[in-house]
């Protein structure tokens, strides 16, 4: 398929698709007339990119994983991939802890504000927000 249809299928702009190609993430076939043709392999790669981006992988990390995938299967490639995934898992776990704490704090804040009780509970609410901020500073968050 051509770039416009490919981009639409993934809810992306054609500029984004071109950028991914420029960065070496996508490798469409080029026809004699210069048009790019995106095949099933490009679709699989784009799904991979979208999922990993949603998980917080950078484009450089994704490019590195795609490069490793092109190499022959080896213990070194496997260990490198496992290491990269281990780092990302730790980051996601930190984010989860932050969001769990933030969700509890926001739910409590909502309860403290219910029925016009903001003024009465203003200090408690400020303390909850301070706690979330401190979690960010201590590396438990984003």
């Amino acid at each position: 398929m051509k770039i416009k249809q490919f981009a639409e299928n993934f809810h992306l702009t054609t500029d984004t698709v071109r950028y991914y190609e420029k960065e070496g993430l996508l490798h469409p076939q080029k026809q004699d007339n210069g048009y790019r043709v995106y095949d099933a392999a490009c679709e699989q790669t784009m799904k991979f990119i979208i999922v990993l981006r949603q998980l917080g992988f950078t484009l450089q990390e994704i490019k590195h994983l795609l490069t490793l995938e092109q190499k022959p299967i080896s213990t070194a490639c496997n260990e490198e991939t496992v290491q990269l995934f281990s780092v990302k898992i730790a980051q996601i776990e930190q984010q989860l802890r932050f969001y769990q704490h933030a969700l509890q704090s926001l739910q409590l804040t909502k309860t403290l504000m219910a029925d016009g009780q903001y003024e009465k509970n203003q200090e408690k609410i400020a303390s909850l927000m301070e706690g979330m901020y401190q979690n960010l500073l201590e590396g438990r968050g984003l």
Side-chain angles (χ1 to χ4, degrees):
M1 76 186 80
K2 294 196 172 122
I3 191 168
K4 184 176 181 186
Q5 182 184 3
F6 185 79
E8 287 173 357
N9 286 352
F10 292 102
H11 308 286
L12 301 169
T13 66
T14 55
D15 287 342
T16 299
V17 174
R18 284 187 192 98
Y19 179 74
Y20 288 166
E21 182 182 346
K22 179 182 161 216
E23 291 298 310
L25 300 170
L26 284 175
H27 304 284
Q29 308 225 344
K30 290 190 181 176
Q31 295 178 327
D32 292 337
N33 61 7
Y35 286 121
R36 297 169 179 90
V37 177
Y38 296 86
D39 58 10
C42 289
E43 289 184 57
Q44 285 304 113
T45 300
M46 185 54 71
K47 290 174 184 176
F48 184 76
I49 293 168
I50 290 169
V51 168
L52 292 183
R53 291 289 292 154
Q54 188 65 34
L55 290 171
F57 282 77
T58 66
L59 289 180
Q60 290 296 45
E61 290 169 330
I62 294 169
K63 184 176 183 177
H64 186 70
L65 288 169
L66 289 170
T67 300
L68 289 172
E69 184 180 47
Q70 299 302 314
K71 292 182 178 182
I73 296 173
S74 69
T75 303
C77 281
N78 189 56
E79 289 173 359
E80 202 170 333
T81 303
V82 168
Q83 176 61 30
L84 184 57
F85 284 166
S86 295
V87 169
K88 194 55 66 177
I89 288 167
Q91 290 171 352
I92 292 170
E93 288 172 342
Q94 284 179 337
Q95 289 175 333
L96 280 172
R97 284 190 296 275
F98 172 77
Y99 282 122
Q100 287 168 340
H101 180 260
L103 179 61
Q104 291 171 351
S105 295
L106 289 173
Q107 287 170 332
L108 181 54
T109 299
K110 181 180 124 184
T111 301
L112 291 171
M113 293 178 73
D115 301 322
Q117 296 296 310
Y118 175 75
E119 187 174 359
K120 174 183 169 188
N121 294 311
Q122 196 171 359
E123 287 183 35
K124 289 178 187 175
I125 293 167
S127 176
L128 289 169
M129 291 300 136
E130 179 66 24
M132 284 190 283
Y133 178 74
Q134 290 304 318
N135 281 341
L136 282 173
L137 291 179
E138 294 170 11
R140 290 188 232 147
L142 305 171

